[in-house]
Amino acid sequence: MLFTETWLTTHIPDSAIAMDNFHLLRADRTAESGKKKGGGLAVFVNEKWCKPGHCVVKEQRCNKDIELLAVSMRPYYLPREFTHVIVIAVYVPPSANAETACETLLSCTSTLQTQHPQALFLISGDFNHSSPASVLPTFTQADHNIVHLRPVYQPIVHRQPVVSRVVKRWSPESEEALRDCFDTTVWTELCDPHGEDINVMTECITDYINFCFENTVPSRTVRCFSNNKPWINPDIKALLKEKKRAFKSGNKEGLRTAQKKLRRKIRRAKAAYRRRMEQQLQNQNIKGCGGTHPSPTQLHALTSTPGQRPTPTLHTSASAQLTTTHGLTHPPSAPPPAPALSVTAAQVRRELKRIKTRKAAGPDCISPRLLKSCADELCGVMEHVFNMSLKLRVVPQLWKTSCVVPVPKTPHAKDLSSFRPVALTSHLMKTLERLVLGHLRSTVSSALDPLQFAYRPGIGVEDAVIFLLHRSLSHLEKPGCAVRILFFDFSSAFNTIQPLLLRDKLETAGVDCDLAEWILDYLTNRPQFVRARDCVSDLLTCSVGAPQGTVLAPLLFTLYTADFRHNTDSCVLQKFSDDSAIIGLITDDDDAEYRGLTQDFVDWCQQNHLLLNAGKTKEMVVDFRRRHSIAPPPVNIQGRDIERVDSYKYLGVHLNNKLDWTHNTDALYRKGQSRLYLLRRLRSFGVRGPLLRTFYDSVVASAILYGVVCWSSSITERERKKLDKVIKKSSSVLGCPLDSVREVGDRRVLARFTSMLDHESHPLQDALSALESSFSDRLIHPRCVKERFRRSFLPAAVRLYNEHC
């Protein structure tokens, strides 16, 4: 209830106007109003609607033009779309300036809307001759009340219709029946009539497997209620209806009984849901990011033997064995061709048992759980089909078909750019690809670019960032030096591979001609269709390019780009799959080699039909010279000047032109805070113990400590405390102590450095070789002039290594 012109002053106590079961908030007239009588506002809030402690005065004004009182309330029952209700009581005297009164109301309302964008606003009172709706167009006025009606009420949880789906009921009995069915099948009767027509043979075997699956594994129809909580079951629904009937009929005793039963059922249902979720997480075998790194004791055991100091194993860099001409590095002579590839039943069985059962089926509709459960029975016939495909150098058309499922990136996707295409391919084809991949890796390892950090054992994202920072910081130690880094972006890099060019490069790398022809057929004439909301489009044929959702595509792209290399003292081209970067080490503003390498790389991309996206290609300049000349002109690619940026996200790590970690720390802190909500949510379900710790390691810690090897020794104490704050909050949720950023960083830096020492072909072997001492077993600390390089990875790793010695 609202009263205006209350005639209240400070001499009148609240008890004089108090009302039972109502909470009073008042705004008495003041001397600023120029009144000796009249005026004042009073708001009475029903305590059955809102608790008195949830009523707060947000704003209060009193002058000759307007009297205003804004009260924030949080009622017992409020739609979840609104955080609270803000009621603004207004009194405009007849003698007031209407324009000034409206401006004051607008100022107050705008401030409150900025502070509380999700609140419901109600303005009520005596406006007299003023018109607040003229200055508040998003409000709707009705007599003496004005309400904020736009944006229109939008429920957060939209009511979804019930969806009926047919699901398979897997059980040990159904799996055993499937094994018996396939074990008694005479596969030669299905394969021999088709001869060498591998397309018809594959379709026949696929149809037979699906026929056995449909007739052996029982199915049932389930109704999915999207708005229900995951622990809701039919018993709880029945009790909810019983409670509703008792409430409508006024049966208080029946209502209490139904509520008691409902609470008991919900408690049991939540416990059952928690057990199912724990079982599912355990079956998925998630691994914590901290569990794969050895402890300090283990590291000491790795780096030393009893009674003897550790001796670092240093190797000559593979890149040093390559010849360089005009800055372009050429690979050595081609190795001899590898023997023809054939697979065995044991290899097929091993790969089938590695399939993840929760993956979606491909266009052939063969369930991955079926393939894993019946690996012993299907490995023989699959060996025959795989070897025939390799012998004929033909990939079955069914296995080349892919189903593209558009997954929305945003809650309300409106155009095609708001969807992420996810390609589903046959799991049998992926099994064959894994077998081919193992053969290709051993065959073409010598032909790969030494500065290609992707898809190499023992080398990853951290090594790529460390290499970039080491080359940059070591160059900046010299006077009069700067660094220019050009980050390239390709448009659909995998899809632009030319199969004929790739075949020639495979044969040059020593791949067997038959396997090269098989890969050529694998890349050409690949049908695709799009599936979205039970609608299937027509088949679209993709004639060239490495397909999405396949196993071989990353390695094939690596081989496709391996013939362009550059590694000199002043310019480096490093790659991580399709993320390529040119590091120009500029001395005395001489950037001729940097610009020449950029132009050569652009020309090579055009010759190999790789599409560079000049709009997304960025350049970052690192220059700490106090007195330097005017900034050089930007690099021009395809007639477009490349934009210079102060920071860039490279392989998930945020780099800036100061080579500090402020941007990266802020990004990690925000991501860690959002992941912390998931940890609290999981704990609210009753999950405790090692499973909750594993979830922290794999979800929360993996976000906070991403790339910790690169930045742990270089961040400031303030940034370290900021990340430790998230770890402390996680520790309180887990109920156990957790290692700080410094402890985890030192442990992983030492582990990474030890693996670098033992890696023969690591790109940093040249720098590691220079650290070997001829007088002792300890490593020589790199010569550091500036603090920035002294705190980087390599000096910090050498210091830790010598301490553990």
Side-chain angles (χ1 to χ4, degrees), residues 63-236:
N63 53 52
K64 63 179 181 178
D65 295 314
I66 189 172
E67 296 179 21
L68 183 145
L69 175 64
V71 182
S72 172
M73 309 175 189
R74 185 63 174 91
Y76 294 113
Y77 301 101
L78 189 68
R80 66 180 70 186
E81 289 73 24
F82 303 113
T83 56
H84 56 289
V85 179
I86 294 181
V87 176
I88 303 177
V90 177
Y91 172 64
V92 179
S95 60
N97 186 327
E99 184 177 352
T100 305
C102 291
E103 290 179 357
T104 304
L105 178 61
L106 172 62
S107 174
C108 175
T109 306
S110 300
T111 302
L112 293 174
Q113 282 186 305
T114 303
Q115 296 174 352
H116 311 282
Q118 302 297 327
L120 172 63
F121 282 81
L122 301 174
I123 303 176
S124 182
D126 191 354
F127 304 122
N128 283 316
H129 57 287
S130 62
S131 178
S134 61
V135 296
L136 297 171
T138 59
F139 285 70
T140 301
Q141 183 173 355
D143 196 13
H144 292 283
N145 296 305
I146 180 170
V147 186
H148 184 47
L149 295 179
R150 287 186 291 178
V152 180
Y153 175 85
Q154 295 181 353
I156 294 178
V157 180
H158 295 273
R159 185 176 297 276
Q160 300 290 339
V162 180
V163 180
S164 298
R165 293 175 181 168
V166 179
V167 297
K168 291 294 183 178
R169 302 182 62 179
W170 284 93
S171 62
E173 293 77 13
S174 60
E175 292 182 1
E176 187 63 30
L178 266 178
R179 296 191 192 99
D180 293 340
C181 179
F182 293 140
D183 191 33
T184 57
T185 300
V186 182
W187 294 104
T188 55
E189 296 296 331
L190 294 175
C191 300
D192 292 345
H194 307 294
E196 293 188 349
D197 192 348
I198 192 170
N199 288 314
V200 178
M201 181 191 302
T202 304
E203 293 179 358
C204 178
I205 293 175
T206 301
D207 292 341
Y208 177 76
I209 292 176
N210 287 329
F211 173 78
C212 296
F213 173 68
E214 292 293 336
N215 289 275
T216 305
V217 181
S219 59
R220 65 168 181 169
T221 302
V222 296
R223 301 179 69 196
C224 300
F225 300 85
S226 303
N227 293 106
N228 284 350
K229 298 293 184 182
W231 54 78
I232 295 295
N233 55 41
D235 294 339
I236 294 179

Side-chain angles (χ1 to χ4, degrees), residues 21 58 108 198 228 368-369 474 539 604 641 668 682 730:
N21 298 326
K58 305 293 292 186
C108 175
I198 192 170
N228 284 350
R369 182 167 182 174
S474 58
L539 286 174
W604 178 87
D641 290 342
L668 295 180
L682 191 64
S730 302

